[in-house]
Amino acid sequence: DLKGNHFRVTVRDVRARSPSQDLRSTVSMAMREVEERGFVNYFGPQRFGWAMVHGALTGPQVGLAMLQSDHKSAVDIFLRAQENETDSRTQEAKRYFEQTRDAAGTLERMPDHNIRERLVLKALHHHGYTKYGCTSALMSIPYSSRLLHIHSFTSLIWNHTASFRIKQYGMEAVEGDLVLQDVQSQSTAKPTWKETIHVLTSEDIHSGRYSIRDVVLPSLGIDTILPGNRVAD
């Protein structure tokens, strides 16, 4: 999907690591590295958000709890006071909830602009801080917003998987890697996504047809095809 997108990136306020380094040559070397070897296209902060608790991002934690159907934990994490919260009223309201589990009192303290938090608190006030109440509270959040937490967790897993793949096998295509391939269908029907995925064999590797630039990694989901090597573990 990204093959049709083009970006112009402007980098400002660039400094060399030490006075002895020549900035122009350092940047040129880095650009050659990107041109020759590429880079891992990690998911960035936009996918995870900036909210942190105990040094960990809260978005993926909420997503994991939701996938485990641990809705009480999901609500607790969602309403937990964040270390990097800049709004003191929001911080105060969340700390109050942590200490009391008083949804009505927290709702009175929660600023109006925290729309999702207020939806959760209203549901908790109506249904109670029970398993059913927490499930109803999460369901009060719009579907697209709930899905963001799930995607946040699966994207974090993808980032860790990409790092493991590079550390384990380096910058070459290896047996078991997944690649996308053009499928010539004898019918007029468009090939399914499964038909476009190919697991590299030893013959593929020896043929030299594939490089690291062809390798893809799956995002976790229903009926996901996993690599045929240690990355799947």
Side-chain angles (χ1 to χ4, degrees), residues 10-145:
T10 301
V11 182
R12 298 184 175 89
D13 198 25
V14 180
R15 297 183 178 87
R17 291 184 177 180
S18 68
S20 61
Q21 286 183 311
D22 178 64
L23 182 58
R24 184 176 294 277
S25 62
T26 300
V27 172
S28 297
M29 183 173 62
M31 294 304 297
R32 284 197 302 273
E33 180 85 2
V34 171
E35 185 176 356
E36 293 171 4
R37 302 186 62 182
F39 61 92
V40 182
N41 193 19
Y42 288 110
F43 290 101
Q46 184 179 11
R47 180 58 63 100
F48 308 115
W50 298 97
M52 298 188 72
V53 174
H54 304 313
L57 294 164
T58 61
Q61 292 182 69
V62 173
L64 174 59
M66 290 171 65
L67 287 171
Q68 293 173 330
S69 296
D70 187 357
H71 296 159
K72 264 197 171 184
S73 292
V75 167
D76 285 344
I77 297 169
F78 183 73
L79 292 176
R80 192 174 293 164
Q82 301 160 9
E83 297 166 5
N84 52 350
E85 177 63 65
T86 58
D87 187 339
S88 60
R89 291 178 59 210
T90 300
Q91 185 87 311
E92 178 187 345
K94 289 185 174 182
R95 289 197 188 284
Y96 177 81
F97 182 80
E98 286 185 69
Q99 296 166 1
T100 65
R101 295 298 188 268
D102 175 12
T106 306
L107 189 59
E108 292 177 359
R109 291 165 170 81
M110 186 65 68
D112 292 341
H113 63 264
N114 293 317
I115 297 174
R116 290 183 299 172
E117 285 85 351
R118 291 183 62 83
L119 287 172
V120 168
L121 290 167
K122 286 178 181 178
L124 289 177
H125 177 48
H126 182 73
H127 298 287
Y129 181 68
T130 62
K131 182 177 180 180
Y132 173 76
C134 289
T135 301
S136 300
L138 290 175
M139 293 301 291
S140 71
I141 302 174
Y143 174 76
S144 58
S145 295

